[in-house]
Amino acid sequence: MAKAKPNTELCKGCRLCVGACPKQAIIPLEEVNKKGYQIIRVDEEKCIGCGMCYKTCPDCVFTIA
Amino acid sequence: MAKFAKPESIVNTTEYCGGCGHGIIQRLIAESIEELNLQDKTIGVVDIACSYWSLDALDYDMIAGPHGRLAAVATGIKRVRPEANVYVHSGDGCAYVIGLSETSYAAIRDVPITMIVANNGIFGMTGGQLNLATTLVGDKTVSSKAGRNPDTMGHPVDMLKSFQNYDVEFLARGALYDVKHIEQTKKFIKKGLENQRDGKGFSLIEVLSPCPTNWKLDPVKAMEKIKNENEKIFPVGVYTDRGGVQ
């Protein structure tokens, strides 16, 4: 099944994906990327590959494959 | 094969602030152009403002017009290259305040271009000044410290209603605060590009977009503000569709 694969180097820590996920599979972290933004992690157990995070993300972080 | 992946036309990282609606708008434009297979014919016109970032990010022929005068630049391009797919990515300061005359006359001439206007109720790139057309009553900006006072600064204007007076092809307003509205906005943008491809007239799509940096809200709260406040003043939907449902 398709899962969301985040490229967290592109992430800008806006957290819009966290609320958009229907399965609460996106977990906000305190860890930061090279740009200094707090990133997220996808819980693959919960992810259903629906693409809501891809459609909400302003920075094209997610690939659903 | 990926079910959803970054459009191939986006070749660089987007440099907008975190949670900015311009990033979503830029992706919707790229997706729509790729789905209509217009990549090689596309000429994008961007403003000297936040939308300028898409000049570096997108793999199309692009030009940055003088600030606010994008509709005039796009009209010129369309006149000399009628086969090109000319779209404008601008903000509300450009299209509705500084370049209101250019936008109006492009609409009056019914030039077959596609304008995409991000309505974020503020001048974003210059640091968050009041926008006479779109800042809501009571909103605090750096040039209205106590909030917009309608006695001295007037009320916000629904510009799509004023453009309805002109004989144009398509006017619509979308929003970005949830996936349903993002999908609806994409349909509007695609319809605007299709109108141009089919040689119909002027299409303008306004998008209610957040500016978390200058609203001084976190991105999630900025989206809630659009849902609870901005959409009440600027209702989402189709305003003019001359082609209509056949």
Side-chain angles (χ1 to χ4, degrees), chain A residues 10 12 49 54-55 59 64, chain B residues 3-5 14 16 27 31:
Chain A
L10 299 174
K12 292 191 190 133
Y54 168 82
K55 287 174 182 166
D59 298 293
I64 318 291
Chain B
K3 199 167 142 198
F4 294 103
T14 52
Y16 307 107
R27 177 171 54 79
E31 282 178 356

Side-chain angles (χ1 to χ4, degrees), chain A residues 10-63:
Chain A
L10 299 174
C11 182
K12 292 191 190 133
C14 69
R15 310 299 202 215
L16 292 178
C17 53
V18 177
C21 181
K23 294 285 173 190
Q24 286 80 47
I26 299 176
I27 301 142
L29 305 176
E30 287 187 3
E31 188 185 333
V32 294
N33 61 10
K34 269 186 199 160
K35 293 179 185 167
Y37 294 109
Q38 291 187 338
I39 58 171
I40 48 89
R41 182 171 69 78
V42 175
D43 185 342
E44 294 225 343
E45 295 279 296
K46 289 184 187 170
C47 179
I48 55 167
C50 64
M52 296 294 153
C53 49
Y54 168 82
K55 287 174 182 166
T56 319
C57 180
D59 298 293
C60 302
V61 168
F62 295 95
T63 305

Side-chain angles (χ1 to χ4, degrees), chain B residues 99-147:
Chain B
L100 178 59
S101 143
E102 280 75 10
T103 310
S104 296
Y105 281 100
I108 289 169
R109 290 190 192 113
D110 202 12
V111 186
I113 54 172
T114 309
M115 272 193 89
I116 294 125
V117 179
N119 174 349
N120 52 18
I122 210 157
F123 279 84
M125 183 67 94
T126 50
Q129 288 81 6
L130 177 107
N131 183 320
L132 280 174
T134 55
T135 301
L136 303 187
V137 170
D139 275 9
K140 289 177 184 165
T141 67
V142 296
S143 55
S144 60
K145 294 276 188 201

